[in-house]
Amino acid sequence: EERLRFALNASRLGVWDHDFRNNTFEFSPLWLNIRGFDTPDELLHNTPEWIHQVHPDDRDFVQTAVERQNNNDPDYTVFRYRIRHRNGEWIWIECRGMGVQWDADGKLLRAIGTDADVTSRKDWEDQMTAMSRRVRLALDISSIGVFEANLTKGISDWDDRMYDIYGLDRDQTVFVGDAWEKLLHPEDRDRVLEKMNFHLENLLPHSDEFRIVRPDGTVAYIRSRSQ
């Protein structure tokens, strides 16, 4: 119990225990602290009014998620929602839980889980999503294709634009040393591969211009940069 308590505190996880038989909702001090409260008397939890502490845009979702989580729906074992902190700000809660006890008729008697404040993580994820969207838009406007070659596994990961540039079907797996190399113009192939191998072996940024011959026979001029 002591190790578990230390682990939960180190992980910043607040524990909750909902007993439906006695209509009680117990929680650890950290669960309370996450919401900015000092005493349970300040909470509305386990009362019909508690849902009003949840962000208006999340209330319908939370009520559905809690119901599904109590029924051990695997899609709702973990869910996130916003709730008002004591200081008035909205914070993001990641709730993990499941039903643990039922009566003979299958009625849920008890559910246990943890809550974590993931506001900073959610903000970071939103920033990364926005940045990714801007990068994707810039790439689309510039008609640039993006690839990542895993030299250990021997497979390249291409985005849709790369397939369009090289004239390949999008469901085709691109193997290192195969698809791209075979499309190089015969007059450019030796020079391009020699330069590419030199930069790979010396971990140097690579930039080159060359011709390719698409499967339909058309020739395209390519500017490629990689690192």
Side-chain angles (χ1 to χ4, degrees), residues 180 191-201 206 226:
W180 173 77
R191 175 191 63 79
V192 172
L193 294 179
E194 182 180 358
K195 181 178 180 180
M196 173 67 75
N197 289 331
F198 173 81
H199 283 75
L200 284 174
E201 291 171 1
H206 175 264
S226 60

Side-chain angles (χ1 to χ4, degrees), residues 12-61:
R12 300 297 297 167
L13 294 175
V15 180
W16 52 266
D17 184 342
H18 196 166
D19 186 334
F20 294 90
R21 292 168 301 184
N22 301 311
N23 195 32
T24 60
F25 187 88
E26 298 181 0
F27 41 81
S28 67
L30 186 54
W31 186 96
L32 195 65
N33 179 256
I34 287 173
R35 290 157 170 76
F37 295 105
D38 298 319
T39 64
D41 297 336
E42 301 170 291
L43 283 176
L44 296 175
H45 219 85
N46 205 38
T47 68
E49 293 79 19
W50 82 270
I51 193 64
H52 296 293
Q53 296 177 323
V54 175
H55 193 286
D57 294 343
D58 297 344
R59 288 172 188 169
D60 290 341
F61 165 74

